[in-house]
Amino acid sequence: MSGGPQGGRRQGAAPGKAGAAGASRRGAAPGGKPRAAQPAARRRRSARELALDALVRVATSGAYSNLQLHHALQEAELSRADAGLATELVYGTLQRQLTLDRWLRQFVAKGFAKLEPWVLSLLRMSLYQLVYLDRVPPHAAVNEAVEIGRRRGHAGIAGMLNGVLRSAVRQLPQLKAEDFASEPDAARRLSLRHSYPEWLAERWIAAYGEDTAEAMMSAGNEAPQGSLRVNRLRLSPQQALERLRQAGLDARPSAAAPWAGVVVDRGGNLAGTDGYTEGLWSIQDESSMIVAAAAAPQPGFRVLDCCAAPGGKSAHLGELMDGRGEIVANDLHPHKKALVESQAARLGLGLIHAVAGDAAELPEHFAPGSFDLVLLDAPCSGLGVIRRKPEIKWTKSPADIEAIAAVQERLLDAAAELVKPGGTLLYSTCTIAGEENSAQIASFLERHPAFALDPAGWPESVLAPLRAAGIGDANAGRFDGSLQLLPHHFGSDGFYIARLRRGDHR
């Protein structure tokens, strides 16, 4: 992320987020009366105020950080450096929330219970600057926090902020996440060091071991890479690389998906590039690109994408089919049809037909066994995209995993009805939870003996870079047709992908 003169991290801190998110929300003074605020049109918000508004919106209304900040940055007239700082503050504060709170409790004498959400968010954001950003002078971070507190609250709040943050400045040498290494319990140690809920640390240690769990957690606190999927109907990945480099962008082939993917470092808003507007490429995570490629659709296929919005995987399927055949792209929400249709139109993919409805009810609208390929990119807990939506760490729970697994089971059963004999069912999630992934597929296969995992159906071109990277699930002799990608493998999202084949007979 290019944070400009204000955005660099302190030595030894994890890299920050690049991305978008935000929205405005004014705090109220104690006593219940809202403090009068200047309309945004009259007084431009600073980077810190924009970040604070986004953090409060996430904390109080369950908003997604990436969407909130994206909208706020589009509306704000910030310099590139200030936009970078606002982005860093939102993502970094959310990423490090548990650790920040651990430290803040040393300085907030009366605890957090009586703090209004905006005050607590301002304290967290300010302490994040003090500990993790090396180009923000401590006095500047403290003074701006105090001024924001005075404008949004009253002199008492400003005084409290000043006292807490100046105490933190005096203790900065002792505020180091590395110091939690002496914690004897592994889950608690990783939880405090990398700022993850302890239940999630326990889960990942049990599933993958402490070293891998720590690598996953560290990767989840890094900035997401900018990556593009090249529209092979219009140009090759090499041609796309040349065009991006000519535009002054730092572009390189994707390590995970070199057959279609390009990674762009510090590229800013890639949706603003001419190539995006012209339909030469789409913005898609590298792990997500592997989903449609693993499905290996052929020209002329009839394909169903059960949960399609915003349409990235449907479009990728259409590109792989050379624009020939039919893709029914379904989504639960009618208003998201337009997103799918917009993607298809931009990319010149007339074979995509968007519909809206409950994926579990699709067998009521289509004949049994009427699709060559059915893709179920299922709703999930999202634990693989924490680097893009860090609030997931604090909003998800084991109960959420259990609940969404039940939904996935229902959708899988419906999707299976629509696969023709000899056809393919491709199941994917952007999470790292066995109940939603390998256990889900194992249970499905018990219920549907006509299906089996299909390792032979995966294209070798898709598996080769995964094997080269040493991803064990993809190794020859071990590969069973399913794959769990972890966030540290390529610096991309955590994804589960299973390719299944239906037997030739009904």
mmCIF file of all heavy atoms in Angstrom, residues 23-37 49 52-53 56-57 60 116-122 148-154 157:
data_model
loop_
_atom_site.group_PDB
_atom_site.id
_atom_site.type_symbol
_atom_site.label_atom_id
_atom_site.label_comp_id
_atom_site.label_asym_id
_atom_site.label_seq_id
_atom_site.Cartn_x
_atom_site.Cartn_y
_atom_site.Cartn_z
ATOM 1 N N ALA A 23 -17.602 4.834 5.497
ATOM 2 C CA ALA A 23 -18.912 5.460 5.496
ATOM 3 C C ALA A 23 -18.937 6.382 6.673
ATOM 4 O O ALA A 23 -18.222 6.182 7.620
ATOM 5 C CB ALA A 23 -20.037 4.453 5.589
ATOM 6 N N SER A 24 -19.775 7.424 6.662
ATOM 7 C CA SER A 24 -19.719 8.406 7.733
ATOM 8 C C SER A 24 -20.823 8.180 8.740
ATOM 9 O O SER A 24 -21.914 7.776 8.405
ATOM 10 C CB SER A 24 -19.847 9.813 7.149
ATOM 11 O OG SER A 24 -21.092 9.981 6.540
ATOM 12 N N ARG A 25 -20.474 8.455 10.003
ATOM 13 C CA ARG A 25 -21.446 8.321 11.084
ATOM 14 C C ARG A 25 -20.959 9.217 12.206
ATOM 15 O O ARG A 25 -19.841 9.074 12.676
ATOM 16 C CB ARG A 25 -21.513 6.867 11.552
ATOM 17 C CG ARG A 25 -22.491 6.656 12.701
ATOM 18 C CD ARG A 25 -22.359 5.242 13.231
ATOM 19 N NE ARG A 25 -23.266 5.012 14.331
ATOM 20 C CZ ARG A 25 -24.432 4.392 14.207
ATOM 21 N NH1 ARG A 25 -24.825 3.953 13.058
ATOM 22 N NH2 ARG A 25 -25.215 4.205 15.257
ATOM 23 N N ARG A 26 -21.774 10.152 12.630
ATOM 24 C CA ARG A 26 -21.371 11.089 13.666
ATOM 25 C C ARG A 26 -21.630 10.519 15.042
ATOM 26 O O ARG A 26 -22.641 9.873 15.287
ATOM 27 C CB ARG A 26 -22.156 12.415 13.525
ATOM 28 C CG ARG A 26 -21.723 13.192 12.299
ATOM 29 C CD ARG A 26 -20.381 13.844 12.541
ATOM 30 N NE ARG A 26 -19.892 14.478 11.329
ATOM 31 C CZ ARG A 26 -18.704 15.058 11.260
ATOM 32 N NH1 ARG A 26 -17.891 15.054 12.273
ATOM 33 N NH2 ARG A 26 -18.329 15.629 10.144
ATOM 34 N N GLY A 27 -20.706 10.807 15.948
ATOM 35 C CA GLY A 27 -20.908 10.387 17.331
ATOM 36 C C GLY A 27 -21.790 11.382 18.057
ATOM 37 O O GLY A 27 -22.066 12.476 17.595
ATOM 38 N N ALA A 28 -22.235 11.020 19.251
ATOM 39 C CA ALA A 28 -23.056 11.899 20.070
ATOM 40 C C ALA A 28 -22.346 12.183 21.376
ATOM 41 O O ALA A 28 -21.594 11.365 21.880
ATOM 42 C CB ALA A 28 -24.399 11.237 20.353
ATOM 43 N N ALA A 29 -22.577 13.350 21.924
ATOM 44 C CA ALA A 29 -21.975 13.687 23.204
ATOM 45 C C ALA A 29 -22.697 12.960 24.324
ATOM 46 O O ALA A 29 -23.865 12.618 24.202
ATOM 47 C CB ALA A 29 -22.076 15.206 23.426
ATOM 48 N N PRO A 30 -21.998 12.674 25.451
ATOM 49 C CA PRO A 30 -22.670 12.053 26.586
ATOM 50 C C PRO A 30 -23.874 12.874 26.993
ATOM 51 O O PRO A 30 -23.867 14.095 26.951
ATOM 52 C CB PRO A 30 -21.583 12.061 27.671
ATOM 53 C CG PRO A 30 -20.290 12.065 26.909
ATOM 54 C CD PRO A 30 -20.562 12.876 25.691
ATOM 55 N N GLY A 31 -24.917 12.171 27.398
ATOM 56 C CA GLY A 31 -26.138 12.858 27.740
ATOM 57 C C GLY A 31 -27.189 12.686 26.678
ATOM 58 O O GLY A 31 -28.338 13.044 26.870
ATOM 59 N N GLY A 32 -26.780 12.146 25.520
ATOM 60 C CA GLY A 32 -27.757 11.774 24.512
ATOM 61 C C GLY A 32 -27.940 12.758 23.388
ATOM 62 O O GLY A 32 -28.437 12.422 22.342
ATOM 63 N N LYS A 33 -27.560 14.051 23.547
ATOM 64 C CA LYS A 33 -27.798 15.023 22.487
ATOM 65 C C LYS A 33 -26.681 14.984 21.460
ATOM 66 O O LYS A 33 -25.517 15.098 21.790
ATOM 67 C CB LYS A 33 -27.889 16.439 23.067
ATOM 68 C CG LYS A 33 -29.198 16.700 23.785
ATOM 69 C CD LYS A 33 -29.340 18.168 24.075
ATOM 70 C CE LYS A 33 -30.709 18.484 24.677
ATOM 71 N NZ LYS A 33 -30.879 19.917 24.894
ATOM 72 N N PRO A 34 -27.042 14.818 20.204
ATOM 73 C CA PRO A 34 -25.995 14.816 19.178
ATOM 74 C C PRO A 34 -25.323 16.181 19.110
ATOM 75 O O PRO A 34 -25.980 17.219 19.203
ATOM 76 C CB PRO A 34 -26.744 14.511 17.886
ATOM 77 C CG PRO A 34 -28.072 13.962 18.325
ATOM 78 C CD PRO A 34 -28.359 14.606 19.648
ATOM 79 N N ARG A 35 -24.036 16.175 18.958
ATOM 80 C CA ARG A 35 -23.311 17.420 18.784
ATOM 81 C C ARG A 35 -23.493 17.889 17.350
ATOM 82 O O ARG A 35 -23.429 17.105 16.416
ATOM 83 C CB ARG A 35 -21.820 17.187 19.069
ATOM 84 C CG ARG A 35 -20.976 18.453 18.945
ATOM 85 C CD ARG A 35 -19.528 18.123 19.294
ATOM 86 N NE ARG A 35 -18.652 19.245 19.055
ATOM 87 C CZ ARG A 35 -18.443 20.227 19.914
ATOM 88 N NH1 ARG A 35 -19.057 20.206 21.084
ATOM 89 N NH2 ARG A 35 -17.629 21.219 19.630
ATOM 90 N N ALA A 36 -23.733 19.170 17.172
ATOM 91 C CA ALA A 36 -23.909 19.711 15.832
ATOM 92 C C ALA A 36 -22.649 19.468 15.017
ATOM 93 O O ALA A 36 -21.538 19.628 15.493
ATOM 94 C CB ALA A 36 -24.198 21.211 15.909
ATOM 95 N N ALA A 37 -22.828 19.030 13.808
ATOM 96 C CA ALA A 37 -21.690 18.739 12.946
ATOM 97 C C ALA A 37 -21.855 19.462 11.622
ATOM 98 O O ALA A 37 -22.957 19.613 11.120
ATOM 99 C CB ALA A 37 -21.575 17.237 12.706
ATOM 100 N N GLU A 49 -10.564 11.212 10.135
ATOM 101 C CA GLU A 49 -12.013 11.271 10.369
ATOM 102 C C GLU A 49 -12.754 10.296 9.460
ATOM 103 O O GLU A 49 -13.706 9.632 9.901
ATOM 104 C CB GLU A 49 -12.509 12.702 10.119
ATOM 105 C CG GLU A 49 -12.097 13.680 11.197
ATOM 106 C CD GLU A 49 -12.583 15.088 10.880
ATOM 107 O OE1 GLU A 49 -12.153 15.649 9.857
ATOM 108 O OE2 GLU A 49 -13.421 15.614 11.645
ATOM 109 N N LEU A 52 -12.234 6.908 10.909
ATOM 110 C CA LEU A 52 -13.020 6.741 12.129
ATOM 111 C C LEU A 52 -14.484 6.466 11.799
ATOM 112 O O LEU A 52 -15.113 5.583 12.400
ATOM 113 C CB LEU A 52 -12.898 7.986 13.005
ATOM 114 C CG LEU A 52 -13.757 7.998 14.272
ATOM 115 C CD1 LEU A 52 -13.395 6.837 15.192
ATOM 116 C CD2 LEU A 52 -13.614 9.338 14.999
ATOM 117 N N ASP A 53 -15.030 7.219 10.864
ATOM 118 C CA ASP A 53 -16.433 7.002 10.483
ATOM 119 C C ASP A 53 -16.640 5.567 9.993
ATOM 120 O O ASP A 53 -17.642 4.913 10.314
ATOM 121 C CB ASP A 53 -16.845 7.995 9.397
ATOM 122 C CG ASP A 53 -16.985 9.414 9.913
ATOM 123 O OD1 ASP A 53 -17.176 9.577 11.128
ATOM 124 O OD2 ASP A 53 -16.905 10.350 9.094
ATOM 125 N N VAL A 56 -16.513 3.098 12.979
ATOM 126 C CA VAL A 56 -17.728 3.155 13.797
ATOM 127 C C VAL A 56 -18.871 2.441 13.087
ATOM 128 O O VAL A 56 -19.653 1.701 13.707
ATOM 129 C CB VAL A 56 -18.103 4.620 14.107
ATOM 130 C CG1 VAL A 56 -19.461 4.689 14.810
ATOM 131 C CG2 VAL A 56 -17.033 5.263 14.975
ATOM 132 N N ARG A 57 -18.972 2.640 11.783
ATOM 133 C CA ARG A 57 -20.034 1.980 11.026
ATOM 134 C C ARG A 57 -19.886 0.458 11.074
ATOM 135 O O ARG A 57 -20.864 -0.271 11.231
ATOM 136 C CB ARG A 57 -19.998 2.467 9.576
ATOM 137 C CG ARG A 57 -21.217 2.084 8.750
ATOM 138 C CD ARG A 57 -22.471 2.807 9.258
ATOM 139 N NE ARG A 57 -23.597 2.532 8.403
ATOM 140 C CZ ARG A 57 -23.953 3.294 7.370
ATOM 141 N NH1 ARG A 57 -23.241 4.369 7.080
ATOM 142 N NH2 ARG A 57 -25.020 2.998 6.665
ATOM 143 N N THR A 60 -20.834 -0.684 14.744
ATOM 144 C CA THR A 60 -22.198 -0.508 15.255
ATOM 145 C C THR A 60 -23.292 -1.066 14.363
ATOM 146 O O THR A 60 -24.391 -1.342 14.837
ATOM 147 C CB THR A 60 -22.482 0.989 15.494
ATOM 148 O OG1 THR A 60 -22.326 1.709 14.264
ATOM 149 C CG2 THR A 60 -21.542 1.565 16.535
ATOM 150 N N GLU A 116 -18.420 5.423 24.483
ATOM 151 C CA GLU A 116 -19.261 5.348 23.296
ATOM 152 C C GLU A 116 -18.467 4.701 22.167
ATOM 153 O O GLU A 116 -17.233 4.769 22.132
ATOM 154 C CB GLU A 116 -19.723 6.738 22.890
ATOM 155 C CG GLU A 116 -20.666 7.369 23.917
ATOM 156 C CD GLU A 116 -21.312 8.613 23.374
ATOM 157 O OE1 GLU A 116 -21.884 8.532 22.260
ATOM 158 O OE2 GLU A 116 -21.239 9.650 24.035
ATOM 159 N N PRO A 117 -19.161 4.058 21.224
ATOM 160 C CA PRO A 117 -18.441 3.339 20.158
ATOM 161 C C PRO A 117 -17.433 4.208 19.417
ATOM 162 O O PRO A 117 -16.342 3.746 19.089
ATOM 163 C CB PRO A 117 -19.575 2.864 19.246
ATOM 164 C CG PRO A 117 -20.747 2.693 20.159
ATOM 165 C CD PRO A 117 -20.618 3.811 21.157
ATOM 166 N N TRP A 118 -17.778 5.456 19.149
ATOM 167 C CA TRP A 118 -16.855 6.282 18.381
ATOM 168 C C TRP A 118 -15.613 6.631 19.192
ATOM 169 O O TRP A 118 -14.513 6.784 18.649
ATOM 170 C CB TRP A 118 -17.537 7.544 17.849
ATOM 171 C CG TRP A 118 -17.864 8.609 18.864
ATOM 172 C CD1 TRP A 118 -19.019 8.747 19.559
ATOM 173 C CD2 TRP A 118 -17.028 9.701 19.259
ATOM 174 N NE1 TRP A 118 -18.968 9.849 20.380
ATOM 175 C CE2 TRP A 118 -17.754 10.463 20.216
ATOM 176 C CE3 TRP A 118 -15.743 10.114 18.918
ATOM 177 C CZ2 TRP A 118 -17.236 11.596 20.825
ATOM 178 C CZ3 TRP A 118 -15.224 11.259 19.515
ATOM 179 C CH2 TRP A 118 -15.975 11.985 20.455
ATOM 180 N N VAL A 119 -15.772 6.756 20.506
ATOM 181 C CA VAL A 119 -14.619 7.064 21.360
ATOM 182 C C VAL A 119 -13.672 5.862 21.418
ATOM 183 O O VAL A 119 -12.447 6.003 21.292
ATOM 184 C CB VAL A 119 -15.077 7.465 22.769
ATOM 185 C CG1 VAL A 119 -13.870 7.705 23.682
ATOM 186 C CG2 VAL A 119 -15.951 8.711 22.716
ATOM 187 N N LEU A 120 -14.232 4.663 21.600
ATOM 188 C CA LEU A 120 -13.394 3.463 21.627
ATOM 189 C C LEU A 120 -12.702 3.256 20.279
ATOM 190 O O LEU A 120 -11.514 2.916 20.222
ATOM 191 C CB LEU A 120 -14.245 2.240 21.985
ATOM 192 C CG LEU A 120 -13.514 0.896 22.024
ATOM 193 C CD1 LEU A 120 -12.325 0.940 22.981
ATOM 194 C CD2 LEU A 120 -14.482 -0.216 22.422
ATOM 195 N N SER A 121 -13.435 3.473 19.193
ATOM 196 C CA SER A 121 -12.822 3.331 17.865
ATOM 197 C C SER A 121 -11.703 4.345 17.667
ATOM 198 O O SER A 121 -10.654 4.025 17.073
ATOM 199 C CB SER A 121 -13.886 3.510 16.773
ATOM 200 O OG SER A 121 -14.812 2.446 16.777
ATOM 201 N N LEU A 122 -11.888 5.562 18.158
ATOM 202 C CA LEU A 122 -10.856 6.588 18.036
ATOM 203 C C LEU A 122 -9.623 6.224 18.855
ATOM 204 O O LEU A 122 -8.484 6.417 18.406
ATOM 205 C CB LEU A 122 -11.420 7.944 18.483
ATOM 206 C CG LEU A 122 -10.477 9.156 18.413
ATOM 207 C CD1 LEU A 122 -9.884 9.304 17.016
ATOM 208 C CD2 LEU A 122 -11.223 10.428 18.815
ATOM 209 N N ILE A 148 -10.399 15.777 17.272
ATOM 210 C CA ILE A 148 -11.610 15.067 16.839
ATOM 211 C C ILE A 148 -12.533 14.857 18.023
ATOM 212 O O ILE A 148 -13.754 15.044 17.929
ATOM 213 C CB ILE A 148 -11.238 13.717 16.188
ATOM 214 C CG1 ILE A 148 -10.530 13.945 14.843
ATOM 215 C CG2 ILE A 148 -12.492 12.855 15.971
ATOM 216 C CD1 ILE A 148 -9.966 12.675 14.224
ATOM 217 N N GLY A 149 -11.966 14.488 19.167
ATOM 218 C CA GLY A 149 -12.774 14.298 20.364
ATOM 219 C C GLY A 149 -13.470 15.566 20.803
ATOM 220 O O GLY A 149 -14.623 15.541 21.249
ATOM 221 N N ARG A 150 -12.790 16.674 20.659
ATOM 222 C CA ARG A 150 -13.387 17.962 21.046
ATOM 223 C C ARG A 150 -14.527 18.331 20.102
ATOM 224 O O ARG A 150 -15.576 18.809 20.546
ATOM 225 C CB ARG A 150 -12.307 19.047 21.040
ATOM 226 C CG ARG A 150 -12.802 20.424 21.526
ATOM 227 C CD ARG A 150 -11.661 21.425 21.600
ATOM 228 N NE ARG A 150 -10.728 21.082 22.672
ATOM 229 C CZ ARG A 150 -9.471 20.663 22.494
ATOM 230 N NH1 ARG A 150 -8.995 20.539 21.256
ATOM 231 N NH2 ARG A 150 -8.697 20.383 23.511
ATOM 232 N N ARG A 151 -14.343 18.098 18.804
ATOM 233 C CA ARG A 151 -15.378 18.445 17.831
ATOM 234 C C ARG A 151 -16.605 17.548 17.966
ATOM 235 O O ARG A 151 -17.737 18.003 17.843
ATOM 236 C CB ARG A 151 -14.833 18.343 16.405
ATOM 237 C CG ARG A 151 -13.948 19.491 15.989
ATOM 238 C CD ARG A 151 -13.832 19.572 14.468
ATOM 239 N NE ARG A 151 -13.278 18.359 13.891
ATOM 240 C CZ ARG A 151 -11.979 18.177 13.639
ATOM 241 N NH1 ARG A 151 -11.122 19.139 13.935
ATOM 242 N NH2 ARG A 151 -11.558 17.058 13.093
ATOM 243 N N ARG A 152 -16.390 16.274 18.206
ATOM 244 C CA ARG A 152 -17.504 15.318 18.209
ATOM 245 C C ARG A 152 -18.104 15.125 19.592
ATOM 246 O O ARG A 152 -19.228 14.614 19.696
ATOM 247 C CB ARG A 152 -17.028 13.972 17.658
ATOM 248 C CG ARG A 152 -16.549 14.068 16.221
ATOM 249 C CD ARG A 152 -16.413 12.701 15.587
ATOM 250 N NE ARG A 152 -16.016 12.822 14.190
ATOM 251 C CZ ARG A 152 -16.191 11.888 13.274
ATOM 252 N NH1 ARG A 152 -16.752 10.745 13.604
ATOM 253 N NH2 ARG A 152 -15.808 12.084 12.032
ATOM 254 N N GLY A 153 -17.377 15.479 20.604
ATOM 255 C CA GLY A 153 -17.873 15.271 21.961
ATOM 256 C C GLY A 153 -17.840 16.562 22.767
ATOM 257 O O GLY A 153 -18.545 17.507 22.464
ATOM 258 N N HIS A 154 -16.969 16.584 23.748
ATOM 259 C CA HIS A 154 -16.845 17.780 24.585
ATOM 260 C C HIS A 154 -15.463 17.783 25.217
ATOM 261 O O HIS A 154 -14.650 16.861 24.991
ATOM 262 C CB HIS A 154 -17.944 17.813 25.656
ATOM 263 C CG HIS A 154 -18.047 16.553 26.454
ATOM 264 N ND1 HIS A 154 -17.107 16.157 27.357
ATOM 265 C CD2 HIS A 154 -19.017 15.592 26.474
ATOM 266 C CE1 HIS A 154 -17.466 15.018 27.920
ATOM 267 N NE2 HIS A 154 -18.621 14.646 27.389
ATOM 268 N N ILE A 157 -14.229 14.566 27.073
ATOM 269 C CA ILE A 157 -13.763 13.473 26.218
ATOM 270 C C ILE A 157 -12.383 13.802 25.665
ATOM 271 O O ILE A 157 -11.494 12.940 25.628
ATOM 272 C CB ILE A 157 -14.765 13.220 25.081
ATOM 273 C CG1 ILE A 157 -16.035 12.555 25.630
ATOM 274 C CG2 ILE A 157 -14.148 12.345 23.983
ATOM 275 C CD1 ILE A 157 -17.109 12.309 24.597
#
